[in-house]
Amino acid sequence: MPPFAGNLLESQPRSDSNIVTIDVGGQMFQTTKQTLTSAGPKTFFSRISQTSPPFTPFIDRDPEIFSLFLSLLRTGNLPSKAKSFDLQDLIIESRFYGIENLLVNSFSNPSQLEPFNLQKSLQLPLNGRDSPSAVATTSHGSLHVAHGSKITSFDWSLRRKSTILTHFTAVDSLLALSPSLAAAGANDFSGLQILDLENGYVKETLNWENVTKSGSTVQAIGSSPENMFVSFESSRRNSNSIVVYDLNNLTPVTEIGHNEIYGADIDSAIPATKLQWIESHNLLMASGSHSGPSGVSGNIRLWDVRSRDVVWEISEKVDCFSDVTVSDSLSAMFKVGVNSGEVFYMDLKNLGSEKNSWVCLGDKRKVMNGKKEGFGCKIETQGNQVFCSKGGDVELWSEIIMGGSSNRIFKKNLMGRGQDIGGAKINNLAFGGSRMFLTRKDLQCVEVWQSSSREL
């Protein structure tokens, strides 16, 4: 066989060939039917894959962007040269081909968050004079921001925004149900409202019927894949409960943690102000705190929603949490102490052990003059990382793998470049897609942090 004969034979046209030739704007492309069908059955690419030689389909679109999309189909990611294109042009073309979902995944997949490479990339301005009170995100980076009586929504590209006016004086709790649907509540306005943010109307209002028949305000909202959890408190503040709703039809499923407050037994009936679903354990974390003459006290409970039983709880008095969160990936619970400002963790694997207690990740500073170093600090986890706001900065805590050691060791890093560090106090910290979102006290904007490799 002469040299290169194999290649020559393969290049000959065959009626059953798996190769598809496409003319896009006068430029010829060749690819396989498998690559085209990977876009999905209802896409433009799938229809093209059904053509056979000698017919060559012609598409009157931009050939350079088409080339990017072929790479996206082959690898699941856009090539680096996509940075030279305007994102809006890519979005318009992706909608024509029916692959906007693939474009979204290539930009906003949560697995692409690069925690050690996050940088402040842009600021999203908000209309009006009110600073953000609550932030909610979707898994692919859509963003809802409550500021005053308004909620402003940004799509996953952060290029399009819309603002609606709500009945609330200020929104204190916000949960994204979808890119266009949100649940919102306030500490001083009865009922949980399901808002259609795209069309600007209240789709439904959910209320908790308490013993005194008074109105019920919302203290926190959370969700699992199947349910939505709402922490209600009576307007008279003498009773509270967590109501579980079916996320598909928003009908009540069950009620847990119902408390009636009698006399001075306040600590036993603190309403939950944070609700977080722990997927790996099928448990609901509910935490709440109260500030009194003797300092800040609170409790953290893990609920089995089906049995409506508390499977674990802890009371906080000495260095109560300013904020608390749970990481499925790290199988641990984290808090930032309101007095010390230190970050602590508790291993979820040892919750049933009497010896299990909070372990300090920092240098265990002594609290001087009763100053609340951690007041207002926020703590969240994303993947295997722990993010904690301290004033105007964000600390990043990462676990160090130590061979043969039974103790878990975490190391602290300060996030951002020199120009990113500092600023007004951070009051909201959230993650959506491959981005981190921050809001700061008295500033009418949202900071977007993302890795330099993901910017476009």
Side-chain angles (χ1 to χ4, degrees), residues 306-326:
R306 292 184 178 180
S307 67
R308 297 188 295 175
D309 292 331
V310 176
V311 299
W312 179 87
E313 67 179 309
I314 187 173
S315 295
E316 297 272 285
K317 291 184 181 294
V318 177
D319 191 14
C320 186
F321 55 86
S322 173
D323 194 16
V324 60
T325 190
V326 178

Side-chain angles (χ1 to χ4, degrees), residues 29-55:
F29 293 87
Q30 283 194 325
T31 187
T32 65
K33 291 184 178 181
Q34 286 92 334
T35 296
L36 295 173
T37 55
S38 68
K42 297 181 179 180
T43 64
F44 196 97
F45 290 103
S46 182
R47 294 198 297 272
I48 296 174
S49 70
Q50 298 171 15
T51 61
S52 300
F55 176 71

Side-chain angles (χ1 to χ4, degrees), residues 5 15 43 48 71 110 115 135 233 311 336 342 367-368 415:
S15 60
T43 64
I48 296 174
S71 294
V135 172
E233 184 178 39
V311 299
V336 52
E342 297 286 3
V367 181
M368 303 299 291
M415 291 185 55

